[in-house]
Amino acid sequence: MENKKFYMTTAIAYTSGKPHIGNTYEIVLADAIARYKRQQGYDVFFQTGTDEHGQKIELKAAEAGITPKEFVDNVAGEIKNIWDLMNTSYDKFIRTTDEDHETQVKKIFKKMYAKGDIYKGAYEGMYCTPCESFWTESQLVDGKCPDCGREVKPAKEEAYFFKMSKYADRLIEHINTHPEFIQPESRKNEMMNNFLLPGLQDLCVSRTSFKWGIGGRNYILVTMGAQASPQHVQDAVTIYNRLGQKSLEL
């Protein structure tokens, strides 16, 4: 009889600086769950890794006088060493600078664009560089970033968007008919009440204001034609889906 499959992932650690105790706490908790599931007879696929693209990393590397790749190599190596020091039993340590990851992200982006799920637009709002996030005026707290409390500045840039709103009704129906899909219930309620029911917003999936990312002018032009602008694909979220699918194949 084939063992039941169980997919376990941590959040991938952002490599803008040294890992902190929260990162280590997360990997140890995830490792405990993965080991427990293996003892129960599950076929476990446990993955972790690092998120290595973005404006913050580009700026940090410039401050250090090295390339972004050199910068993330140093940080990712330190993170992996700590995970190994803690004797965590991950099956896969993935980096968003891995060649295979970049290849798969480009395939996903091209397929979604061909289906009409990606369109060209512009992102405008108050921008927090440390969080790499746009906010509306109403979302600010005392005029500052609601996440980190730092200063924000007005910004606008051309970008490509994923039509996430197109799938809102399908998501709502699935969650309502499969109440166990998101656990615990408090997180399900948060997702429904804060994101889906008020109206799911389309997701920005590319950036133009910095260079350190997957894509670049040649890739975007080949994918979307001569009128396209040089962009960099927001790639980290694809890791969870892609390896989740891989675990089902084990």
Side-chain angles (χ1 to χ4, degrees):
M1 182 177 177
E2 185 179 1
N3 291 345
K4 291 185 291 184
K5 299 185 187 320
F6 183 80
Y7 171 51
M8 183 75 195
T9 180
T10 67
I12 52 174
Y14 195 49
T15 52
S16 60
K18 293 182 179 180
H20 52 73
I21 189 66
N23 298 124
T24 307
Y25 176 70
E26 179 187 20
I27 188 72
V28 170
L29 289 182
D31 180 59
I33 295 171
R35 290 175 185 269
Y36 175 69
K37 287 295 185 180
R38 291 191 190 104
Q39 287 185 340
Q40 288 185 313
Y42 283 83
D43 183 5
V44 173
F45 188 85
F46 174 27
Q47 71 106 11
T48 187
T50 46
D51 178 1
E52 303 183 12
H53 292 123
Q55 185 178 30
K56 190 191 302 186
I57 289 171
E58 187 174 81
L59 294 174
K60 290 276 189 177
E63 291 173 4
I66 57 178
T67 67
K69 185 60 166 63
E70 290 171 328
F71 185 87
V72 297
D73 281 347
N74 293 336
V75 178
E78 187 168 357
I79 291 171
K80 190 175 185 300
N81 287 339
I82 294 174
W83 286 190
D84 291 340
L85 179 66
M86 300 302 293
N87 195 32
T88 54
S89 60
Y90 58 83
D91 297 294
K92 175 73 174 180
F93 188 100
I94 191 168
R95 300 176 56 184
T96 59
T97 53
D98 288 345
E99 183 178 348
D100 175 63
H101 172 70
E102 295 194 6
T103 298
Q104 295 303 320
V105 167
K106 289 178 179 181
K107 287 181 180 178
I108 292 170
F109 194 86
K110 188 172 183 178
K111 184 174 182 178
M112 290 193 299
Y113 182 77
K115 287 181 61 179
D117 280 343
I118 287 180
Y119 64 94
K120 187 177 180 180
Y123 219 126
E124 184 173 9
M126 305 303 293
Y127 186 69
C128 174
T129 299
C131 292
E132 299 188 19
S133 298
F134 279 94
W135 305 99
T136 64
E137 293 279 0
S138 62
Q139 290 175 311
L140 302 180
V141 177
D142 296 327
K144 297 182 179 180
C145 173
D147 277 355
C148 71
R150 294 183 176 93
E151 298 292 334
V152 295
K153 58 182 180 180
K156 181 179 180 178
E157 66 179 74
E158 185 181 85
Y160 286 90
F161 292 80
F162 171 59
K163 291 183 181 178
M164 198 154 60
S165 56
K166 172 182 173 181
Y167 298 94
D169 290 343
R170 189 184 304 182
L171 285 168
I172 292 170
E173 180 183 4
H174 184 81
I175 293 170
N176 284 335
T177 55
H178 300 81
E180 77 290 349
F181 182 64
I182 300 178
Q183 298 183 46
E185 186 175 1
S186 60
R187 295 304 182 196
K188 181 192 75 173
N189 294 338
E190 179 182 2
M191 181 61 65
M192 292 288 283
N193 296 330
N194 294 350
F195 295 97
L196 291 171
L197 294 178
L200 192 61
Q201 301 297 306
D202 291 345
L203 179 68
C204 179
V205 293
S206 74
R207 296 291 305 277
T208 58
S209 58
F210 58 91
K211 298 179 179 179
W212 180 237
I214 293 177
R217 183 172 181 81
N218 289 339
Y219 164 64
I220 295 295
L221 291 182
V222 169
T223 303
M224 286 171 273
Q227 300 305 312
S229 302
Q231 307 265 339
H232 296 283
V233 178
Q234 305 289 78
D235 62 288
V237 72
T238 62
I239 277 185
Y240 306 111
N241 175 65
R242 194 160 64 81
L243 285 182
Q245 291 295 320
K246 176 64 176 175
S247 71
L248 297 178
E249 299 169 3
L250 294 179

